[in-house]
């Protein structure tokens, strides 16, 4: 699947408040070979979802954005868990 800039821009504009959750791909169903280079992992992800920016996990709508540099998803998850632990301590 070849995504154009226009297609990506349209996907990114999806409003999570009005999207039909039944039309979204469940992220738990996506399988990625983590031994592959980033470009192949991104291509595999794009091939398995209808919208690279908006998906779901069960009954929750998830919207992501991509960036060239900065914190990784692992960094953000560690930050989130650190904040959650501070709330309950």
């Amino acid at each position: 699947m070849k995504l154009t800039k226009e297609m990506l821009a349209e996907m990114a504009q999806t409003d999570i408040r009005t999207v039909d959750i039944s039309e979204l791909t469940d992220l738990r169903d996506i399988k990625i070979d983590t031994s592959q280079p980033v470009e192949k992992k991104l291509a595999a992800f794009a091939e398995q979802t209808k919208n690279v920016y908006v998906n779901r996990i069960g009954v929750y709508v998830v919207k992501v954005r991509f960036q060239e540099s900065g914190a990784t998803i692992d960094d953000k998850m560690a930050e989130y868990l650190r904040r959650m632990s501070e709330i309950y301590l």
Side-chain angles (χ1 to χ4, degrees), residues 49-89:
T49 184
K50 297 174 186 171
N51 184 326
V52 296
Y53 296 102
V54 180
N55 291 282
R56 67 183 174 92
I57 298 176
V59 298
Y60 298 99
V61 176
V62 178
K63 186 169 186 175
V64 298
R65 60 188 170 135
F66 300 93
Q67 60 188 28
E68 292 291 324
S69 60
T72 66
I73 187 86
D74 292 335
D75 296 336
K76 290 295 187 181
M77 286 302 295
E79 179 183 342
Y80 170 74
L81 293 172
R82 198 169 34 256
R83 286 183 183 170
M84 292 303 293
S85 68
E86 290 172 0
I87 291 171
Y88 293 106
L89 288 180

Side-chain angles (χ1 to χ4, degrees), residues 15 21 24 34 70:
D15 186 341
I21 194 169
L24 300 176
T34 58

Side-chain angles (χ1 to χ4, degrees), residues 1-2 4-5 8 11-12 14 19 21 24 27 29 31 40 47 49 52 58 69 71-72 76 81-82 87-88:
M1 171 186 215
K2 179 69 175 164
T4 65
K5 287 183 180 182
L8 289 170
M11 288 179 187
T14 302
V19 70
I21 194 169
L24 300 176
L27 291 174
D29 296 332
K31 306 294 182 226
K40 289 191 178 189
E47 289 172 4
T49 184
V52 296
S69 60
T72 66
K76 290 295 187 181
L81 293 172
R82 198 169 34 256
I87 291 171
Y88 293 106

